[in-house]
Amino acid sequence: MRKPKKLINEPLNVAKEQLEGLVEATHGQLEYVEGVSAVIRSDMPQGKVAIVTGGGSGHEPLFAGYVGHGLADAAALGDIFAAPAPNIILKATEVADQGKGVIYIYGNYAGDNMNFDIAAELADDDDIRTHTVRVWDDIASAPLENIKERRGVAGDVFVLKIAGAASECYDDFDKVVAVTEKARDNTRSIGVALSAGSVPQTNTFTFELPADEIEIGMGLHGEPGVARRKMKSADLVVDELMQQLLDDLPFSSGDEVCLLINNLGASTYMEMLIANRRVAEICRNQGIKVYDTLIGGYCTSQEMSGLSITMLKLDDELKALYDQPCHSFALRK
Amino acid sequence: MRKPKKLINEPLNVAKEQLEGLVEATHGQLEYVEGVSAVIRSDMPQGKVAIVTGGGSGHEPLFAGYVGHGLADAAALGDIFAAPAPNIILKATEVADQGKGVIYIYGNYAGDNMNFDIAAELADDDDIRTHTVRVWDDIASAPLENIKERRGVAGDVFVLKIAGAASECYDDFDKVVAVTEKARDNTRSIGVALSAGSVPQTNTFTFELPADEIEIGMGLHGEPGVARRKMKSADLVVDELMQQLLDDLPFSSGDEVCLLINNLGASTYMEMLIANRRVAEICRNQGIKVYDTLIGGYCTSQEMSGLSITMLKLDDELKALYDQPCHSFALRK
């Protein structure tokens, strides 16, 4: 049986060590929140509404890679594919809060929901106002009528971008919340996996796919997708993904969108660029204007091979916020 | 036998289609050079010394991903792992030249050398001045005394960054050449492969590595490295790479460097961040200051798993140029 092959040290330390490597790479831009696996931007301005994100490790550069000016202010990090403990989230909340309240933005998973909710209660005891925006952009994970059961995937990136910009531009907590929720509601994703990622601690793959099959809608932790297909051409795969994606919101002629072609881990730039060629063609044919395109590993699942497509439908407010500068390890505009 | 699994269309079209996807992703920042597989920045300023790069496809985002303000002005692109033909380079040269001459910057491979040299002769017939800077940063590919036989790998990125900045800041051809050559001479790389990349046209891997072995110094196209090792911890692998890298220039206490931890394709961010943790530790212990750190897929070899470490030794001039803004698909500062 095929076994994972990774350049790591002690498997139980990967989450800690990769965070150390990230902090080193930012040269003073990130600081540890004392005593816990959380980071905060070192240039945290006083008096702003704070944005705190977080989740399991293993999806690098998410989440810590999006801490910085114009994005998240702090990130609370769990072990590989495990939610951060409530005390980690609480500590991050306490250091991030500037007296203006804290907005939690994270992917909609049971473990994260539970721990962020506990942290929110504890923060309330500290008289820190919080509000939670769960990202549920993965259209393959539940039908539209049960949108609140959908998982959060690469859409986190766009929601953090908008929320971070809003928190720099707007002084009002409710106004930041409102536009963050609008960004979440305007964001949809769908993915396709060609092969699995592996969990470092157990050195096993999260699933197995036959050599000639792909899985549409595979989750970031190997959660089952909507359909297995025989391997087919990139264009045909993108056509299937895009039809589901466009139908879901729906996106339609005249819309303007930001697009993210996300590498789930081990795919080549070549494959992502070829996918983007087809996505751009489909959008043009549908009368949808692509305002900006991100391509790369923004929200990964270890060495999973495959990609996801995320679209954020813009309006004037979202576009103005998207255009604001941001500066973090994983995103710079 | 393990077979590659990629999301592509017709294998013979991958180079063309991925370039189309890249041009789409830049939303008008890149234009095709008419009739050939080359791109030029659409905001090309008049009257500057031009920087033209190029080489085989398959190493995305190199080379076209570094065409933009403060980087290369144009890129001439071959098929997968194949040098661009002289006429492609010549066309790129003609459209890039603003009457101030063209500097060619590319990796030191026989095919690229031959075709860029032919293009240079043809450009000379057109009365276009050219000068060639071959990048030979891969210390594993030949001993120091034969440095001109070394291959070019991820060091291209730093050399293009400096040359692009210099060509925006300096009006003098020779001055741009001089600092580009200084950047090249101050740049060193070494890589380690855990598994091979594959060639789309043949759907075969470029080499095979046993499950428990890694190869130090593996080339971007599967050229043999300096040593096969049994799999060992990330720290021990980085220690071996760094010892060779630091000894080669040599880099020593008091030096200031830019660092690139380059994903050769299918490695996880986790592994690269863990490697960076150790690289940063070694540099600190050696008294070497890391001024900036880039981590990600900057110069890839399809789905090769592994990473390379590149260091550029700075001086005041190089640092000032490194700090200049740049804007391309793959690098933004």
Side-chain angles (χ1 to χ4, degrees):
Chain A
M1 204 166 94
R2 193 171 71 103
K3 292 293 284 180
K5 192 175 184 184
K6 281 179 182 166
L7 207 54
I8 58 174
N9 298 306
E10 166 54 45
L12 295 177
N13 293 343
V14 290
K16 174 176 170 289
E17 290 187 358
Q18 61 95 355
L19 185 59
E20 291 172 10
L22 178 65
V23 169
E24 290 281 5
T26 62
H27 298 284
Q29 206 191 339
L30 293 184
E31 289 172 4
Y32 288 103
V33 176
E34 204 186 328
V36 294
S37 65
V39 288
I40 183 164
R41 50 188 282 215
S42 53
D43 61 347
M44 183 77 198
Q46 290 197 316
K48 82 184 276 288
V49 175
I51 308 293
V52 172
T53 188
S57 295
H59 305 295
E60 291 69 42
L62 197 70
F63 295 86
Y66 300 98
V67 174
H69 173 77
L71 289 157
D73 297 304
L77 305 157
D79 207 339
I80 299 290
F81 297 170
N87 72 305
I88 301 174
I89 303 166
L90 180 64
K91 278 270 198 181
T93 305
E94 288 169 346
V95 297
D97 180 54
Q98 307 290 310
K100 290 288 180 67
V102 174
I103 303 175
Y104 291 150
I105 300 172
Y106 57 89
N108 188 37
Y109 295 91
D112 295 293
N113 295 350
M114 184 174 72
N115 290 359
F116 270 94
D117 282 352
I118 295 171
E121 281 182 38
L122 297 169
D124 187 56
D125 295 343
D126 283 354
D127 292 323
I128 299 173
R129 180 183 185 184
T130 66
H131 182 92
T132 292
V133 180
R134 292 177 184 155
V135 180
W136 44 54
D137 55 312
D138 181 5
I139 65 167
S141 52
L144 184 59
E145 57 267 29
N146 301 329
I147 193 167
K148 294 181 181 181
E149 292 173 16
R150 287 179 173 177
R151 299 183 289 257
V153 287
D156 287 343
V157 176
F158 283 145
V159 180
L160 287 170
K161 173 70 189 81
I162 297 299
S167 73
E168 306 276 353
C169 296
Y170 302 163
D171 197 39
D172 182 69
F173 188 87
D174 294 325
K175 211 173 152 190
V176 181
V177 166
V179 75
T180 301
E181 291 183 338
K182 180 164 68 176
R184 185 267 312 275
D185 295 342
N186 280 11
T187 299
R188 295 290 189 279
S189 300
I190 188 167
V192 57
L194 277 68
S195 67
S198 69
V199 181
Q201 289 95 328
T202 58
N203 202 35
T204 52
F205 289 103
T206 55
F207 60 94
E208 285 294 338
L209 263 175
D212 61 342
E213 289 185 15
I214 60 177
E215 183 143 348
I216 307 288
M218 172 67 63
L220 281 179
H221 313 91
E223 298 94 337
V226 286
R228 289 212 172 175
R229 297 271 184 266
K230 286 291 171 190
M231 189 69 185
K232 51 187 180 177
S233 75
D235 283 358
L236 288 176
V237 172
V238 169
D239 288 352
E240 179 171 356
L241 297 177
M242 285 297 285
Q243 182 169 1
Q244 294 193 36
L245 196 69
L246 296 180
D247 285 353
D248 194 85
L249 188 64
F251 298 89
S252 50
S253 183
D255 284 352
E256 196 164 10
V257 300
C258 290
L259 171 66
L260 166 58
I261 311 277
N262 175 55
N263 188 346
L264 289 169
S267 287
T268 57
Y269 261 107
M270 179 184 77
E271 292 165 275
M272 292 187 290
L273 293 168
I274 289 172
N276 182 55
R277 168 182 170 276
R278 185 63 164 189
V279 171
E281 192 175 24
I282 292 169
C283 286
R284 198 158 36 238
N285 290 343
Q286 299 282 330
I288 296 166
K289 178 166 190 268
V290 181
Y291 181 66
D292 193 36
T293 304
L294 304 179
I295 302 181
Y298 285 83
C299 168
T300 65
S301 182
Q302 294 291 304
E303 72 273 53
M304 185 185 286
S305 177
L307 56 84
S308 61
I309 303 171
T310 299
M311 283 171 62
L312 160 66
K313 180 178 165 175
L314 296 172
D315 62 13
D316 289 345
E317 183 187 29
L318 292 171
K319 195 167 164 178
L321 292 170
Y322 187 82
D323 281 341
Q324 291 296 309
C326 67
H327 188 114
S328 74
F329 173 76
L331 192 64
R332 193 179 291 206
K333 274 189 80 72
Chain B
M1 203 165 96
R2 194 172 71 102
K3 293 292 286 180
K5 192 173 183 185
K6 282 179 181 166
L7 208 53
I8 57 175
N9 298 306
E10 165 55 44
L12 294 178
N13 293 345
V14 290
K16 174 177 171 288
E17 291 187 356
Q18 61 94 357
L19 184 60
E20 290 172 11
L22 178 65
V23 170
E24 291 281 4
T26 62
H27 297 284
Q29 206 191 341
L30 293 183
E31 290 171 4
Y32 289 103
V33 176
E34 203 186 325
V36 294
S37 65
V39 288
I40 183 164
R41 50 188 283 213
S42 53
D43 61 348
M44 183 76 197
Q46 290 196 317
K48 83 183 275 290
V49 174
I51 308 293
V52 172
T53 188
S57 296
H59 305 295
E60 290 69 42
L62 199 68
F63 295 86
Y66 300 98
V67 174
H69 173 78
L71 289 157
D73 297 303
L77 304 157
D79 207 339
I80 300 289
F81 298 170
N87 71 303
I88 302 174
I89 304 166
L90 180 65
K91 278 272 198 181
T93 305
E94 288 168 347
V95 296
D97 180 54
Q98 306 291 309
K100 289 288 180 66
V102 175
I103 303 176
Y104 291 151
I105 301 172
Y106 58 90
N108 187 36
Y109 295 91
D112 295 292
N113 295 349
M114 185 175 72
N115 290 358
F116 271 93
D117 283 350
I118 295 171
E121 281 182 40
L122 297 170
D124 186 57
D125 295 343
D126 283 355
D127 291 323
I128 298 173
R129 181 183 185 184
T130 66
H131 183 92
T132 293
V133 180
R134 292 178 184 156
V135 180
W136 43 55
D137 55 313
D138 181 4
I139 65 168
S141 51
L144 184 58
E145 57 267 29
N146 301 329
I147 194 167
K148 294 182 182 181
E149 292 172 15
R150 287 179 173 176
R151 299 184 289 255
V153 288
D156 287 342
V157 176
F158 283 145
V159 179
L160 287 170
K161 173 72 189 80
I162 297 299
S167 73
E168 306 276 352
C169 296
Y170 302 162
D171 196 40
D172 182 68
F173 188 85
D174 294 326
K175 212 174 150 190
V176 182
V177 166
V179 76
T180 301
E181 291 184 339
K182 180 164 69 176
R184 186 266 313 275
D185 295 342
N186 280 12
T187 299
R188 296 290 189 278
S189 300
I190 188 168
V192 58
L194 277 68
S195 67
S198 69
V199 181
Q201 289 96 329
T202 59
N203 202 35
T204 52
F205 289 104
T206 55
F207 59 94
E208 283 296 338
L209 262 175
D212 62 341
E213 288 186 16
I214 60 177
E215 181 143 350
I216 308 288
M218 173 66 63
L220 281 179
H221 314 90
E223 298 93 337
V226 286
R228 289 213 172 176
R229 298 269 184 265
K230 285 291 170 189
M231 190 68 185
K232 51 187 180 178
S233 75
D235 283 358
L236 289 176
V237 171
V238 169
D239 288 352
E240 179 172 355
L241 297 178
M242 284 297 286
Q243 183 168 1
Q244 295 193 37
L245 196 68
L246 296 180
D247 285 353
D248 193 86
L249 189 66
F251 298 89
S252 50
S253 183
D255 284 351
E256 196 163 10
V257 300
C258 291
L259 171 67
L260 166 59
I261 312 277
N262 175 55
N263 189 346
L264 289 169
S267 286
T268 58
Y269 261 106
M270 180 184 77
E271 292 165 275
M272 293 187 290
L273 293 169
I274 289 172
N276 183 54
R277 168 183 170 275
R278 186 61 164 188
V279 170
E281 192 174 24
I282 292 168
C283 286
R284 198 158 35 239
N285 290 343
Q286 299 282 329
I288 295 166
K289 178 164 189 270
V290 180
Y291 180 66
D292 192 38
T293 304
L294 304 178
I295 302 182
Y298 286 83
C299 167
T300 65
S301 182
Q302 295 290 305
E303 73 273 53
M304 184 184 286
S305 176
L307 56 83
S308 61
I309 304 172
T310 299
M311 285 171 60
L312 162 65
K313 180 178 165 176
L314 296 171
D315 62 13
D316 289 346
E317 184 187 29
L318 292 171
K319 195 167 164 179
L321 292 171
Y322 187 82
D323 281 342
Q324 290 296 309
C326 66
H327 188 113
S328 74
F329 173 76
L331 191 64
R332 194 177 290 204
K333 274 188 79 75

